Amino acid sequence: MSKEKAPRSEPAQQPDDNVNKRDKSALATDLDHHDHPHDHSHLDDTALRVRSLQTLLTEKGYIEEAALHALIDTYENKIGPRNGARVIARAWSDPEYKNWLLEDATAAIASLSFQGRQGEHMVVVENTDNTHNLVVCTLCSCYPWPVLGLPPAWYKSAPYRSKAVIDPAGVLTDFGVSLSPDKQIVVWDSTAEVRYLVMPERPENSAHLSEAELSLLVTRNSMIGTGLALPVETLS
Amino acid sequence: MNGVHDMGGMECYGPVDPDQDTAYHHDWEKQVLALTLAMGATGTWNLDQSRFARESLEPSLYLSIGYYRVWLTALENLLKQHELVTADELEQGQSLGASAQLTRLLTANDVPGVLARGAPVSRPATTLARFAVGDQVRVRNIQPSTHTRLPAYLRHHTGTIHRVHAPHVYPDSHANGLGEDPQWLYNVRFCADHLWGEARSNHRYVHADCWEPYLMGTADE
């Protein structure tokens, strides 16, 4: 059903990276992929419709434009997956912190000043040598914003939302990830206001690395479960 | 509501495309996100009503117009339903009458605090939790025509209580304007081969958060 792809090793990007990147193979059924290169008029119509709505709501006194800028700026420049990477690197480096994180993730994450909207109730699930965890929201697009930023388009797409709970190994294949056959896959469907973050397995031969170096190996996808932490050689 | 938004287990959508890797495709999508958050912060409607507005879109639209057009259309509908704007005003992009009185306005100064505080939905317990970790439960076969956070693929299946969270605001009531109606929330573990007949590959479990009204003890059967 899906072709094998080379293993992906994306860095934990801030959500504004490649903001306007266009996809060439958009599926009409994919909630985020509608804008084919040919539908410029549709696109411009929407841009105008949004601008017109913003003008109306400002005129009515329901919104303050500066607040919109502040909201956009927060999720473009201040909150992203580097936050989550710091949490995971701390847990890898400090067994006490790791225990706290697995017991009360909301408090342990807040101790690093990551907290708030869409991360009010956090749970961290740990990958081990026999378990791989994968997080999805089948009903909409729930995602832990304070530690990962806004979700990538694929996370919100129909293929991911539908397939993750019935065929997670197939999803991993789509991402070019293959697990050892004795590793069980556990899927977490974010049906309530509890947000899940995966603690990936610490890379082999990483005992000598500092917390800051470790955090560079923690990718966004490894904290969703569609990827693994990067190997130590990535740093050299 | 049984609807196309409830996608768990569907197999008609093809493979996941990992190259769809960014949060936005167009600048206007950022504005839609910000407008939705800013209007949400006025407290005119709650998060569950907002989700229901998106789920209630005509199915072919929901599946085809793109994620942020779903948000945009739902926002326009909520503004009309709550009589904050009229259809004519939306059409013309300008105010044609008096504004509604809102309880709050989100200012730029408020933004850091509002985002950092978030909106926790756990509430103090006023009842004992009916289930404990390890209990066997069955998901009730409830199919409300209004908002619910019970995915269809879980209905009628048995699972094990994995974690007792706390009483949380109950979306099924909250989306209907019936108040917060807090109910105990549990994380329930389901065996993949029970849900899907035969688990594929090494898929072992699916976990989902379920409110107490979604569940019954298997001893009740």
Side-chain angles (χ1 to χ4, degrees):
Chain A
M1 177 150 146
S2 58
K3 60 184 186 301
E4 210 41 59
K5 293 187 179 172
R8 302 174 55 77
S9 58
E10 101 291 3
Q13 296 173 329
Q14 291 292 335
D16 60 331
D17 288 353
N18 303 316
V19 160
N20 289 313
K21 191 170 113 187
R22 271 296 182 84
D23 177 56
K24 292 180 287 296
S25 59
L27 296 171
T29 49
D30 187 323
L31 295 186
D32 259 286
H33 301 181
H34 180 69
D35 298 317
H36 298 264
H38 63 261
D39 68 353
H40 289 300
S41 60
H42 190 177
L43 194 57
D44 293 345
D45 285 352
T46 307
L48 285 174
R49 182 173 149 205
V50 174
R51 192 176 311 158
S52 152
L53 177 63
Q54 187 169 324
T55 306
L56 170 61
L57 297 181
T58 307
E59 218 177 291
K60 287 279 190 188
Y62 299 155
I63 56 168
E64 187 194 273
E65 300 230 1
L68 304 182
H69 296 309
L71 287 164
I72 292 168
D73 177 59
T74 301
Y75 292 108
E76 279 200 309
N77 301 314
K78 296 182 178 146
I79 297 182
R82 299 306 328 156
N83 294 1
R86 276 189 54 199
V87 172
I88 300 303
R90 171 70 55 88
W92 283 346
S93 310
D94 177 348
E96 258 181 55
Y97 182 78
K98 177 178 158 180
N99 289 340
W100 186 23
L101 188 63
L102 292 174
E103 201 139 293
D104 184 357
T106 312
I109 292 170
S111 75
L112 299 179
S113 302
F114 309 137
Q115 62 210 328
R117 193 181 173 95
Q118 289 299 311
E120 293 92 342
H121 308 282
M122 291 293 306
V123 168
V124 170
V125 291
E126 183 186 13
N127 284 353
T128 64
D129 53 9
N130 64 20
T131 300
H132 181 88
N133 294 285
L134 179 78
V135 178
V136 64
C137 172
T138 61
L139 294 171
C140 52
S141 53
C142 296
Y143 190 74
W145 292 9
V147 281
L148 295 185
L150 299 177
W154 61 257
Y155 184 86
K156 305 175 282 186
S157 72
Y160 186 72
R161 285 167 53 186
S162 57
K163 188 173 174 181
V165 286
I166 189 170
D167 185 17
V171 167
L172 291 173
T173 302
D174 294 342
F175 280 83
V177 175
S178 58
L179 301 175
S180 79
D182 53 354
K183 197 170 276 206
Q184 62 175 7
I185 305 178
V186 178
V187 180
W188 300 79
D189 190 356
S190 314
T191 49
E193 296 308 315
V194 181
R195 298 287 169 266
Y196 293 89
L197 185 75
V198 175
M199 184 192 305
E201 279 188 278
R202 182 173 174 154
E204 287 175 6
N205 306 316
S206 61
H208 62 293
L209 296 182
S210 69
E211 198 177 311
E213 288 169 319
L214 284 171
S215 76
L216 299 174
L217 302 177
V218 184
T219 64
R220 181 199 64 206
N221 286 6
S222 75
M223 294 181 278
I224 303 171
T226 55
L228 307 175
L230 300 175
V232 171
E233 300 76 60
T234 318
L235 293 177
S236 54
Chain B
M1 181 185 69
N2 293 335
V4 292
H5 68 283
D6 186 359
M7 293 179 170
M10 296 294 114
E11 297 199 276
C12 45
Y13 297 115
V16 185
D17 181 2
D19 292 333
Q20 290 285 330
D21 197 47
T22 55
Y24 306 114
H25 290 94
H26 310 290
D27 280 346
W28 60 261
E29 296 176 336
K30 302 175 193 175
Q31 303 300 125
V32 171
L33 174 87
L35 287 167
T36 301
L37 296 182
M39 285 311 302
T42 67
T44 315
W45 50 77
N46 62 50
L47 182 64
D48 297 302
Q49 290 168 320
S50 186
R51 288 204 179 113
F52 190 54
R54 289 175 210 137
E55 294 163 8
S56 302
L57 297 188
E58 202 271 312
S60 64
L61 277 184
Y62 183 93
L63 289 174
S64 66
I65 61 177
Y67 185 81
Y68 280 110
R69 283 198 193 85
V70 168
W71 277 44
L72 173 61
T73 311
L75 176 60
E76 290 171 340
N77 289 345
L78 283 165
L79 288 163
K80 284 186 283 187
Q81 281 163 20
H82 290 266
E83 300 183 337
L84 266 53
V85 303
T86 64
D88 284 345
E89 287 175 324
L90 275 179
E91 183 74 27
Q92 296 185 30
Q94 60 175 320
S95 179
L96 301 172
S99 300
Q101 290 300 310
L102 301 186
T103 42
R104 285 194 297 274
L105 169 73
L106 183 73
T107 67
N109 288 339
D110 297 335
V111 167
V114 164
L115 294 181
R117 277 193 301 279
V121 292
S122 55
R123 297 292 179 263
T126 55
T127 59
L128 294 174
R130 176 158 174 221
F131 304 114
V133 171
D135 283 358
Q136 294 296 303
V137 291
R138 184 182 290 282
V139 176
R140 292 177 188 272
N141 184 15
I142 49 174
Q143 310 201 21
S145 57
T146 48
H147 183 66
T148 184
R149 294 293 291 182
L150 175 61
Y153 76 89
L154 294 177
R155 281 189 206 127
H156 217 59
H157 284 290
T158 55
T160 307
I161 300 286
H162 176 74
R163 189 173 186 135
V164 181
H165 290 298
H168 277 214
V169 171
Y170 187 44
D172 302 48
S173 297
H174 205 217
N176 288 339
L178 300 174
E180 294 192 335
D181 188 22
Q183 303 285 342
W184 279 94
L185 182 71
Y186 304 89
N187 187 269
V188 186
R189 190 182 73 192
F190 300 90
C191 288
D193 53 3
H194 291 180
L195 293 177
W196 309 115
E198 191 178 338
R200 297 188 199 180
S201 185
N202 38 2
H203 185 197
R204 188 70 190 279
Y205 298 117
V206 174
H207 287 247
D209 289 320
C210 298
W211 283 263
E212 200 165 270
Y214 296 170
L215 303 172
M216 59 189 192
T218 49
D220 301 343
E221 297 181 284

